[in-house]
Amino acid sequence: MAKQDPAKKRVAVLISGRGSNMAALIEAASARDYPAEIALVVSNRPDAFGLTRAREAGVATAVVDHKTFAEDRAAFERALDATLEAHRIDIVCLAGFMRLLTPWFVTRWNGRLLNIHPALLPQFKGLHTHRRALEAGVKRHGATVHFVATEMDSGPIIAQDWVAVRDDDTEETLAARVLELEHRIYPQALRLVAEGRENPLFAGGEKTPQ
Ligand code: GAR
C-alpha cells in the first residue's frame, strides 16, 4: 500500500463511467507538493471503465451499486457515506457520477463535495450540454467546478474556463476541447479547496474575457 502523508487531504473520486477526470486528478495528486491524495475511487456501476484505470494506478476502489438498493435512494447514500467514512475521506469529487444526490448527502458533505459540469454554469445545467450549446449558438462554451448544493448543477463556483465555439464544431469536437479544460481545472480547483484557498471568483484559465 502506498505511504500516506498525514498533511494531505484524503479525497474520494466518485465515478460512473470512463473516469478521465478521475485519471487527471490521480495524475495531479501524484506530484509531491499536491495537497491532496486520491485515497479512494467509488463507482455506482460495477462495470465502469474508470475502476480499471484506478486499480492500474494503485488507487483503492469500491463499488456501491445503486441497482442493489432498488429505488431506496436513502439506503444507497447511507452505504456510500459509510464507505467514505471507512476510508476517512475529507473531500469528495464527483467526476461523471451520474446519480442525483439527496439533500441529506449534500448537507452532510457540505463544503467538502465538488462536482465538474461540462458547461459554463449557470448555463446548460443537466445533460447533453455540448449539443445544447451548439443549438443555442453560443460563442463560448466550457466547464465549471463547483461546490455541490442541493439544487442540481448549482452551488458556489470554484473554477471555470472556456473555449471558443467554432463554426464547424460538432458535439464530439466541442466535447473533446472542453474535456481538455476539465482535466486542467479540476486539479486546480481541488488544490484550492484542499489548501483552504478556494475563492468563488477564481477563474481557472489564463484568458481575459473580451
Ligand atoms: C465529464 O465531461 C463530466 O464533466 C460530465 O461527465 C463526463 C465524465 O467523463 N459530468 C456531467 O455531465 C455531470 N452532470 P469522465 O468519466 O471521462 O470524467
Side-chain angles (χ1 to χ4, degrees):
M1 203 171 80
K3 200 160 156 277
Q4 294 177 5
D5 181 344
K8 294 194 179 208
K9 297 286 187 201
R10 292 175 60 78
V11 173
V13 184
L14 270 50
I15 63 167
S16 299
R18 69 188 163 181
S20 74
N21 277 289
M22 171 213 76
L25 291 169
I26 291 173
E27 167 69 22
S30 69
R32 189 188 291 260
D33 70 342
Y34 198 79
E37 63 179 299
I38 310 305
L40 179 68
V41 168
V42 187
S43 174
N44 66 306
R45 297 178 54 116
D47 59 350
F49 177 60
L51 286 171
T52 307
R53 295 173 96 160
R55 287 186 201 113
E56 281 171 6
V59 176
T61 61
V63 173
V64 183
D65 185 350
H66 64 277
K67 289 200 179 128
T68 61
F69 296 91
E71 294 303 307
D72 192 346
R73 227 171 244 281
F76 167 70
E77 289 187 357
R78 277 198 303 273
L80 189 56
D81 186 67
T83 303
L84 298 171
E85 294 295 350
H87 287 262
R88 294 175 290 108
I89 296 303
D90 300 306
I91 298 171
V92 176
C93 290
L94 307 181
F97 183 71
M98 302 313 253
R99 301 295 297 170
L100 288 176
L101 295 165
T102 69
W104 176 78
F105 189 90
V106 172
T107 306
R108 201 166 161 75
W109 287 89
N110 185 32
R112 302 183 295 148
L113 181 59
L114 282 61
N115 181 44
I116 187 153
H117 183 72
L120 287 171
L121 290 175
Q123 281 187 320
F124 308 121
K125 296 178 179 183
L127 298 175
H128 310 300
T129 56
H130 309 305
R131 187 192 311 166
R132 287 160 56 213
L134 289 174
E135 283 167 2
V138 293
K139 296 293 174 201
R140 290 180 192 147
H141 181 53
T144 305
V145 181
H146 63 99
F147 285 112
V148 176
T150 49
E151 189 193 325
M152 185 189 70
D153 294 332
S154 65
I157 290 172
I158 304 160
Q160 218 169 29
D161 202 359
W162 54 271
V163 292
V165 178
R166 297 177 188 153
D167 290 343
D168 62 351
D169 259 328
T170 62
E171 208 176 323
E172 290 73 29
T173 59
L174 186 55
R177 289 207 309 292
V178 170
L179 195 62
E180 283 178 32
L181 295 182
E182 296 187 40
H183 296 166
R184 195 164 68 240
I185 66 172
Y186 213 169
Q188 290 174 345
L190 176 58
R191 171 185 280 281
L192 289 173
V193 173
E195 290 175 347
R197 293 194 297 126
E198 76 280 359
N199 173 349
L201 298 177
F202 172 77
E206 299 297 318
K207 297 188 274 310
T208 311
Q210 289 130 27

